[in-house]
């Protein structure tokens, strides 16, 4: 009989909304955002491919509380021998407590934590509760697979690279696993989503609804000190799926999800390799995919005009840059590797190419003052991008930003304070120049100033008349954000 592996995105603060654990800043978003638990999905795909029977329970997607989730476990996974729990920094204590409950229910099963937080703090995480059997450090698809194989075949867990586990009462860290280089070996997330999940449970506010998220590569060569995935899970080497493999999944989505209106390429920076982007775009145009579905992606501000035009022709309608700040010293302090000149050119070129921009701004980094925040807001107002977000720096364990903030005494390191009681993001950083409250107040002020000006309201209406999907997106976004914008 096949051994069963149960993958769980645990319940957390369901009474307040859907907790988006795999967002880069895990929280319950004002905009109703809920990311697909893609890293958990990929690991489940690999387990299935290797002959394991898989149960998959995404509690936040159905807004299930602990009791409801446990009912699903009893029904679908009472015979599982390995339970894999997704985690995040704000929810870590709750995630461990949930895993502990499962261990008490099924003492013969192996409980395993995965995600950014255990990767960054393995000893500390294992110390939270003795009933956690182990955790996977960093990219975990193959670590979960190898652990499952070892448990099934009665092989010593010391053979599983990347695994931290208990042996004779001691915590043992096996050597690190290699990063996966042949990403084409991993099955399509979309195929798993089709069988197991419901696309209307997930919301990516910048995209038409419903949308599907996929990764076409892993890792990011950029060294931004605040970005959590490259520093804790996937490293700085950008490893790629082949263009043929990516196009195969896009065709699968087009053919199997008639309701899906947009694909979100969630790679940290989809546009790093110009040649590959060109290949994917040309294949989309040749196959007529650009006429069937649109897409968006994260794209650094070094993206050139020629590639932007090709992307537009291939069906891309929106790009997401992390602009962060327009102060060159701050960009240098956070190892952003970009210049203010590049930002200016990027915004102008995108407008010329007909691409919309969702601009991301961040305040509270090293060197931030009231003056530099005002400069960033003034630039954001001038750039007139389609949408913009203003967030305080949230320093997560395992990042350079966390080490900087912690070593200077700017944060207290209490993980449950990363969010408010209602699951929304909390600002935890207090620098000599700016208090947490001042950063939060500035972001609220910036959002209001950005979105409530006559130009912006007119811009949305004009665009909405040309593109009904966009009008729907705008009205939804306004409805979700109205309370904070109209305060």
């Amino acid at each position: 009989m096949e051994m069963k592996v149960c993958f769980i995105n645990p319940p957390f603060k369901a009474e307040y909304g859907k907790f988006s654990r795999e967002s880069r800043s895990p929280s319950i978003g004002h905009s109703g955002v809920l990311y697909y638990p893609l890293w958990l999905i990929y690991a489940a795909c690999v387990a299935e491919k290797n002959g394991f029977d898989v149960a998959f329970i995404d509690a936040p997607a159905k807004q299930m509380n602990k009791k409801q989730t446990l009912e699903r476990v009893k029904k679908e996974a009472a015979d599982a021998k390995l339970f894999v729990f997704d985690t995040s920094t704000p929810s870590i204590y709750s995630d461990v407590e949930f895993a502990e409950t499962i261990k008490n229910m099924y003492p013969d099963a192996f409980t395993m934590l995965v995600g950014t937080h255990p990767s960054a703090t393995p000893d500390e995480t294992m110390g939270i509760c003795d009933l956690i059997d182990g955790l996977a450090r960093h990219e975990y698809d193959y670590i979960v697979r190898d652990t499952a194989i070892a448990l099934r075949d009665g092989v010593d867990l010391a053979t599983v690279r990347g695994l931290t586990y208990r042996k004779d009462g001691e915590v043992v860290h096996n050597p690190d696993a290699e990063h996966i280089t042949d990403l084409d070996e991993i099955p399509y997330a979309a195929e798993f989503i089709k069988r197991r999940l419901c696309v209307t449970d997930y919301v990516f506010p910048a995209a038409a609804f419903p949308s599907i998220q996929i990764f076409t590569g892993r890792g990011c060569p950029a060294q931004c000190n605040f970005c959590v995935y490259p520093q804790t899970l996937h490293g700085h080497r950008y490893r790629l799926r082949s263009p043929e493999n990516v196009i195969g999944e896009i065709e699968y989505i087009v053919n199997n999800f008639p309701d899906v209106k947009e694909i979100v390429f969630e790679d940290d920076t989809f546009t790093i390799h110009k040649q590959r982007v060109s290949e994917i775009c040309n294949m989309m145009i040749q196959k007529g995919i650009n006429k069937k579905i649109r897409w968006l992606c994260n794209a650094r501000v070094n993206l050139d005009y020629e590639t932007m035009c090709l992307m537009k022709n291939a069906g891309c309608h929106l790009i997401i840059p992390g602009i962060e700040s327009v102060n060159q010293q701050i960009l240098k302090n956070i190892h952003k590797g970009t210049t203010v000149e590049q930002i200016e050119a990027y915004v102008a070129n995108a407008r010329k190419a007909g691409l919309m921009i969702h601009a991301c701004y961040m305040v509270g980094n090293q060197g931030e003052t009231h003056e530099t925040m005002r400069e960033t807001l003034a630039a954001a107002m001038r750039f007139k991008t389609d949408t913009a977000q203003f967030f305080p720096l949230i320093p997560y364990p395992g990042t350079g930003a966390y080490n900087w903030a912690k070593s200077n005494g700017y944060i207290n390191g209490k993980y449950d304070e990363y969010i408010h009681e209602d699951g929304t993001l909390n600002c935890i950083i207090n620098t000599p120049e700016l208090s947490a409250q001042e950063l939060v107040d500035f972001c609220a002020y910036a959002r209001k100033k950005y979105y409530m000006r006559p130009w912006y309201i007119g811009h949305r209406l004009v665009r909405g008349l040309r593109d009904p999907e966009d009008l729907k997106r705008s009205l939804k976004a306004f409805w979700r954000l109205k309370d904070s914008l109209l305060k």
Side-chain angles (χ1 to χ4, degrees):
M1 200 174 119
E2 287 174 351
M3 178 178 127
K4 182 173 278 183
V5 182
C6 179
F7 294 83
I8 303 178
N9 188 16
F12 187 55
K13 295 192 176 289
E15 64 273 30
Y16 298 110
K18 295 183 175 186
F19 182 73
S20 189
R21 200 174 258 101
E22 282 198 19
S23 296
R24 284 174 181 79
S25 291
S27 60
I28 295 173
H30 292 293
S31 60
V33 62
L34 182 68
Y35 279 48
Y36 288 86
L38 274 172
W39 302 123
L40 204 62
I41 287 169
Y42 286 121
C45 289
V46 168
E48 270 190 341
K49 184 182 172 182
N50 283 272
F52 291 96
D53 185 13
V54 162
F56 195 93
I57 299 168
D58 186 359
K62 297 295 183 191
Q63 217 170 314
M64 295 190 295
N65 60 25
K66 185 175 177 179
K67 185 169 177 276
Q68 292 165 318
T69 310
L70 292 173
E71 285 303 316
R72 282 266 315 260
V73 173
K74 282 178 201 162
K75 209 159 64 183
E76 297 169 32
D79 54 342
K81 291 289 175 272
L82 171 61
F83 285 92
V84 181
F85 304 92
D86 206 357
T87 64
S88 73
T89 295
S91 63
I92 190 64
Y93 300 123
S94 172
D95 301 338
V96 169
E97 188 196 1
F98 186 81
E100 183 186 0
T101 303
I102 294 287
K103 183 68 176 178
N104 282 321
M105 286 167 64
Y106 309 108
D108 294 337
F110 190 95
T111 49
M112 182 186 204
L113 307 179
V114 295
T116 60
H117 192 90
S119 295
T121 62
D123 281 307
E124 184 188 292
T125 303
M126 290 293 282
I128 298 173
C129 173
D130 291 345
L131 294 182
I132 300 303
D133 293 313
L135 58 84
R137 304 188 313 276
H138 316 304
E139 186 173 66
Y140 57 82
D141 321 49
Y142 288 3
I143 305 172
V144 171
R145 174 199 67 188
D146 294 346
T147 303
I149 290 170
L151 293 170
R152 182 192 67 195
D153 299 347
V155 174
D156 191 343
L157 289 173
T159 59
V160 181
R161 295 179 75 93
L163 179 69
T164 290
Y165 68 108
R166 291 182 207 280
K167 188 173 187 177
D168 304 326
E170 295 294 311
V171 171
V172 178
H173 304 288
N174 290 346
D176 281 347
E178 298 288 318
H179 279 123
I180 301 163
T181 48
D182 186 357
L183 294 180
D184 286 6
E185 280 188 358
I186 294 174
Y188 298 157
E191 193 271 331
F192 188 90
I193 290 166
K194 175 75 181 168
R195 285 185 290 116
R196 302 286 191 134
L197 304 173
C198 174
V199 291
T200 52
D201 287 341
Y202 303 89
V203 174
F204 192 86
F209 178 82
S211 63
I212 276 192
Q213 291 166 277
I214 65 170
F215 281 85
T216 78
R218 300 183 181 192
C220 181
Q223 303 290 320
C224 313
N225 77 340
F226 54 84
C227 193
V228 72
Y229 281 136
Q231 294 181 82
T232 60
L233 280 192
H234 301 122
H236 288 293
R237 185 177 155 218
Y238 188 32
R239 295 156 285 126
L240 308 166
R241 292 167 59 184
S242 68
E244 293 76 15
N245 183 270
V246 174
I247 292 295
E249 184 163 20
I250 295 168
E251 288 184 309
Y252 179 88
I253 292 167
V254 168
N255 295 331
N256 290 279
F257 292 93
D259 298 339
V260 165
K261 298 194 172 74
E262 187 146 12
I263 298 171
V264 179
F265 294 137
E266 249 303 290
D267 306 30
D268 289 306
T269 306
F270 175 69
T271 54
I272 288 276
H273 286 302
K274 182 179 172 175
Q275 177 61 37
R276 175 174 177 269
V277 173
S278 300
E279 280 179 50
I280 290 172
C281 288
N282 283 321
M283 287 168 85
M284 283 189 196
I285 293 163
Q286 283 158 13
K287 290 172 173 282
I289 294 169
N290 57 334
K291 302 276 194 290
K292 295 174 185 166
I293 199 159
R294 64 189 201 175
W295 52 279
L296 62 85
C297 66
N298 297 312
R300 259 168 93 76
V301 298
N302 57 359
L303 183 62
D304 61 285
Y305 174 66
E306 180 192 25
T307 308
M308 285 182 182
C309 292
L310 180 59
M311 287 164 62
K312 172 73 177 168
N313 289 337
C316 179
H317 83 108
L318 180 136
I319 48 181
I320 305 177
I323 291 175
E324 322 313 355
S325 172
V326 293
N327 180 282
Q328 193 59 58
Q329 188 54 51
I330 291 176
L331 294 175
K332 200 173 165 188
N333 292 345
I334 63 177
H335 310 299
K336 188 72 194 173
T338 57
T339 66
V340 176
E341 289 73 27
Q342 283 176 323
I343 295 166
E344 298 273 356
Y346 179 97
V347 172
N349 286 336
R351 186 170 291 121
K352 219 163 43 167
L355 286 173
M356 297 197 293
I357 294 177
H358 173 71
C360 303
Y361 300 98
M362 189 192 295
V363 294
N365 283 300
Q366 184 183 347
E368 195 81 82
T369 62
H370 286 284
E371 182 56 34
T372 59
M373 293 198 305
R374 281 195 294 270
E375 285 169 16
T376 294
L377 177 56
M381 299 288 280
R382 180 166 54 80
F383 291 153
K384 292 182 171 174
T385 58
D386 183 69
T387 45
Q389 67 181 45
F390 300 88
F391 271 110
L393 166 69
I394 313 278
Y396 292 99
T399 65
Y402 181 86
N403 297 338
W404 164 73
K406 194 88 165 64
S407 62
N408 284 291
Y410 301 156
I411 55 175
N412 62 26
K414 291 180 182 165
Y415 304 131
D416 47 7
E417 289 182 6
Y418 274 68
I419 49 170
H420 295 290
E421 174 55 33
D422 66 356
T424 55
L425 275 178
N426 186 24
C427 182
I428 56 160
I429 190 161
N430 289 279
T431 70
E433 289 81 20
L434 294 155
S435 69
Q437 193 56 52
E438 285 173 311
L439 292 170
V440 168
D441 290 347
F442 172 81
C443 290
Y445 169 75
R447 270 192 296 275
K448 198 167 177 177
K449 203 150 166 57
Y450 194 89
Y451 286 117
M452 299 307 285
R453 55 186 161 154
W455 168 81
Y456 190 80
I457 294 162
H459 162 74
R460 296 301 331 172
L461 288 171
V462 169
R463 185 169 275 290
L465 292 171
R466 288 198 305 245
D467 180 354
E469 272 312 318
D470 200 72
L471 185 61
K472 259 191 266 180
R473 183 171 75 96
S474 297
L475 291 171
K476 255 188 204 161
F478 177 74
W479 185 252
R480 289 188 187 116
L481 293 170
K482 68 182 187 312
D483 294 341
S484 55
L485 291 176
L486 297 175
K487 261 180 194 166

